[in-house]
Amino acid sequence: MRGALATSALFAAGALALSACGGGGSADSDSDDGKNGAGFRIKVSAKDGATNASISGTGVQVSGGTLTEVKLTAAESGKEVAGVMASDGSSWKPSVQLERGTKYRIVAKAKDAAGRTTTENATFTTVSPKNSFIGSYTPDGGETVGVGMPVSFKFDKVITNKRDVQSHIKVTSSSGQKVVGHWFGAQRLDFRPQEYWKAGSKVTMKIDLDGVKGGEGVTGVQSKTVTFTVGRSQVSTVDMNTQTMTVKRDGKTLKSLPISGGSAQNPTYNGQMVISEKLEQTRMDGSTVGFENPNDSYNIPDVPHAMRLSTSGTFLHGNYWGDASIFGRTGTSHGCIGLRDVKGGGGDTPGKWFFEQSLIGDVVLVKNSQEQTVKPDNGLNGWNLSWNEWQAGSAV
């Protein structure tokens, strides 16, 4: 997961909501006590002495003049925060997200057309981690994903004010598809349309959580617009009766591949599963997913071409340790879907081919397994809910 999972820098996108703060003067007074004439004034969005300032919306504006210098530093370390000045010198804002629970000092200087100068100072502390919440999200901006990729937020605090939080996250598609949010518990919110995203569409999520109350004592701090692209449509159907996987691209069959799915003792989940992670090579240790009996466990340090299908450990991956005769004939795994491969992942193999043809967000549909359907929140697998069930989980 990316975004604040690997926390993305999230910045204010629109005009700053400003509260004037003078260096010791009143909020509405000119910082030069009127010497520079009416209307020539610097305003800093964070009030002097504030203890809950925004990490996204801090900035400076000037009226009746032009900013000549703005310096924002972390009070304890003295480290300067980089910023961006408007081309006309009318405003300035940080180019990176501020840290939560950190004290900052800002000094802003300006001059007017007559050459008169003024300076504004403010010291403020950003909202603390304890009193704020952040939503880690996937996918990240600029990515190209498969048609099954939902927008998924995981919040670092319990959200009790679900309606307000959800209403401040807008997800739209250039395809015109209606997009609805669904809550899985109090800390996860996913968005998807009724059917898979239209191939080639652009999806935009506008995150406007800065200042939004998530619950008692916690306020949002994020403000950003993120756009990603939906690539070609690829849906692969795994039939456990025949131990084959049929790969379709834009409705046309690309290839039918022999697989080895879950054994009779450990069958693979049925249902629509979305590729949420791609790893060229990874360790798979059965003890981490509940297989602790030495006679039924495994520990393979170099599984090639692994693609995650569920949080609980279902992967579609290359298999170099199984005899070639198992593929297309029998299920031998602990629930994963194996494709013939070679140690190290080199060569021309079904495992490598499918890995290279796949995007995060592609759909893998499993049918005719003896196992239950995968739970919708076990991975990015909300497609296993009907549209009515999905909409029933919306707070808006």
Side-chain angles (χ1 to χ4, degrees):
M1 309 288 282
R2 286 155 313 272
L5 237 87
T7 306
S8 296
L10 302 168
F11 310 121
L16 297 170
L18 297 166
S19 298
C21 49
S26 69
D28 293 326
S29 65
D30 291 340
S31 59
D32 63 350
D33 296 324
K35 290 183 293 182
N36 285 334
F40 181 29
R41 182 167 57 185
I42 297 172
K43 292 185 178 181
V44 179
S45 59
K47 290 184 178 181
D48 190 31
T51 58
N52 61 345
S54 169
I55 66 172
S56 302
T58 298
V60 180
Q61 284 190 336
V62 64
S63 58
T66 302
L67 290 169
T68 56
E69 181 185 354
V70 178
K71 187 174 183 179
L72 175 64
T73 56
E76 185 173 335
S77 67
K79 183 179 179 181
E80 188 168 351
V81 178
V84 178
M85 186 83 74
S87 59
D88 62 358
S90 63
S91 65
W92 179 95
K93 65 179 180 180
S95 55
V96 295
Q97 177 180 280
L98 303 185
E99 297 293 332
R100 289 189 285 179
T102 302
K103 187 176 183 180
Y104 290 92
R105 293 193 180 96
I106 192 166
V107 179
K109 299 178 180 180
K111 67 178 179 180
D112 67 5
R116 294 171 294 195
T117 62
T118 187
T119 301
E120 189 72 11
N121 295 272
T123 300
F124 59 89
T125 302
T126 52
V127 63
S128 70
K130 179 181 178 180
N131 296 323
S132 61
F133 71 90
I134 280 179
S136 305
Y137 59 83
T138 189
D140 206 351
E143 294 188 4
T144 297
V145 298
V147 296
M149 188 70 185
V151 170
S152 184
F153 282 82
K154 289 186 178 180
F155 299 104
D156 64 352
K157 300 288 194 307
V158 169
I159 302 299
T160 56
N161 190 9
K162 292 181 177 180
R163 182 180 179 86
D164 278 359
V165 169
Q166 183 179 334
S167 66
H168 282 83
I169 303 173
K170 303 292 186 184
V171 182
T172 58
S173 173
S174 63
S175 67
Q177 291 171 278
K178 179 182 178 181
V179 184
V180 175
H182 180 100
W183 287 89
F184 294 107
Q187 290 183 254
R188 176 174 168 183
L189 172 62
D190 286 12
F191 293 83
R192 71 165 176 89
Q194 183 173 2
E195 307 293 340
Y196 300 144
W197 302 106
K198 299 295 184 184
S201 57
K202 301 282 187 181
V203 179
T204 300
M205 48 176 163
K206 185 176 181 181
I207 307 164
D208 189 22
L209 293 172
D210 193 19
V212 175
K213 298 296 183 183
E216 185 65 32
V218 290
T219 304
V221 293
Q222 293 166 288
S223 181
K224 189 178 184 182
T225 299
V226 176
T227 300
F228 61 90
T229 301
V230 179
R232 77 290 177 275
S233 172
Q234 182 166 299
V235 179
S236 302
T237 301
V238 176
D239 188 337
M240 288 299 170
N241 281 344
T242 61
Q243 293 290 303
T244 58
M245 178 171 70
T246 302
V247 183
K248 288 190 174 183
R249 170 94 45 94
D250 296 322
K252 297 180 180 179
T253 299
L254 282 185
K255 193 174 285 192
S256 185
L257 301 170
I259 61 98
S260 181
S263 66
Q265 295 75 29
N266 300 292
T268 306
Y269 285 123
N270 280 299
Q272 301 169 82
M273 290 180 271
V274 172
I275 296 174
S276 59
E277 184 178 21
K278 290 181 65 182
L279 304 167
E280 290 193 5
Q281 184 171 289
T282 189
R283 175 183 292 274
M284 290 190 176
D285 183 351
S287 66
T288 64
V289 289
F291 293 101
E292 298 180 355
N293 187 326
N295 296 323
D296 194 34
S297 194
Y298 54 90
N299 191 344
I300 306 170
D302 54 356
V303 178
H305 301 129
M307 289 158 279
R308 182 182 291 276
L309 300 178
S310 78
T311 305
S312 61
T314 307
F315 279 81
L316 198 162
H317 60 75
N319 178 336
Y320 66 79
W321 53 89
D323 190 87
S325 64
I326 67 173
F327 299 100
R329 297 186 62 185
T330 185
T332 60
S333 80
H334 290 71
C336 291
I337 301 165
L339 290 167
R340 183 176 59 81
D341 216 322
V342 295
K343 190 177 179 67
D348 183 14
T349 65
K352 182 179 181 181
W353 179 86
F354 187 71
F355 187 88
E356 292 179 343
Q357 296 297 318
S358 297
L359 293 173
I360 288 177
D362 282 349
V363 179
V364 176
L365 169 63
V366 178
K367 64 180 184 179
N368 296 323
S369 174
Q370 298 305 306
E371 184 56 283
Q372 64 182 346
T373 298
V374 66
K375 298 295 184 184
D377 59 347
N378 185 2
L380 302 176
N381 298 326
W383 300 103
N384 294 290
L385 291 175
S386 70
W387 187 233
N388 285 339
E389 290 172 322
W390 185 265
Q391 292 182 104
S394 173
V396 176

